[in-house]
């Protein structure tokens, strides 16, 4: 737990914020299917929080949403986290919120079953739509 808290603290979060985020990362690692290690868990949470400008208090909400969708659809919560890691900033800039982004990713992921491709595709599509 201390190692994870240090990771978040090094990113500029206060100790109480880092502790909340490390709790969320450890929970995501333990309950999220397809989450391989604490690095993957932490990176998914950090990129999603930063992409959607979410606070440390919302870290566990992210985990809850990823787990809920992973349990009910043909994708894993680890894949959703990976897809959001690639696309959250671009989707947020395009005006999508976290729930919409998870839905977009899940819809495409159920068909392709390739989180890297879907995450990159969502990023590219949203950037091209904003450019037109």
């Amino acid at each position: 737990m201390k190692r994870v808290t240090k990771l978040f603290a090094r990113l500029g979060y206060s100790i109480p914020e880092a502790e909340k985020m490390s709790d969320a990362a450890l929970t995501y690692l333990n309950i999220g299917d397809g989450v391989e290690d604490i690095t993957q868990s932490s990176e998914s949470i950090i990129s999603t929080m930063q992409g959607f400008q979410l606070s440390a208090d919302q870290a566990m909400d992210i985990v809850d949403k990823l787990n809920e969708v992973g349990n009910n659809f043909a994708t894993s919560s680890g894949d959703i986290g990976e897809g959001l890691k690639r696309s959250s900033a671009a989707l947020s800039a395009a005006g999508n919120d976290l729930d919409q982004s998870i839905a977009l990713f899940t819809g495409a992921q159920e068909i392709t079953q390739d989180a890297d491709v879907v995450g990159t595709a969502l990023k590219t599509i949203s950037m091209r739509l904003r450019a037109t």
Side-chain angles (χ1 to χ4, degrees):
M1 171 103 160
K2 288 182 181 182
R3 181 175 70 103
V4 181
T5 303
K6 284 181 186 179
L7 170 72
F8 291 114
R10 272 188 267 144
L11 292 171
Y13 293 99
S14 69
I15 297 301
E17 290 173 330
E19 287 175 347
K20 287 178 187 178
M21 294 170 68
S22 66
D23 285 343
L26 290 169
T27 301
Y28 184 41
L29 174 63
N30 291 325
I31 66 169
D33 53 323
V35 181
E36 302 295 324
D37 56 30
I38 194 65
T39 302
Q40 178 186 359
S41 173
S42 300
E43 288 175 354
S44 295
I45 291 172
I46 291 167
S47 61
T48 302
M49 287 177 58
Q50 291 179 346
F52 291 102
Q53 295 85 40
L54 301 174
S55 69
D57 292 332
Q58 296 170 296
M60 196 60 81
D61 293 336
I62 295 168
V63 173
D64 290 341
K65 290 176 183 188
L66 298 179
N67 189 50
E68 178 70 22
V69 174
N71 287 340
N72 292 302
F73 293 92
T75 187
S76 70
S77 54
D79 284 344
I80 301 166
E82 284 297 309
L84 289 175
K85 187 166 71 171
R86 298 179 186 282
S87 62
S88 62
L91 289 170
S92 177
N96 298 102
D97 65 18
L98 177 59
D99 294 332
Q100 293 168 337
S101 300
I102 291 172
L104 287 168
F105 177 83
T106 303
Q109 173 67 4
E110 284 190 320
I111 296 166
T112 64
Q113 293 296 305
D114 191 338
D116 296 342
V117 170
V118 173
T120 303
L122 288 174
K123 176 179 73 172
T124 303
I125 291 166
S126 68
M127 290 171 29
R128 289 186 180 167
L129 285 173
R130 285 192 336 238
T132 57

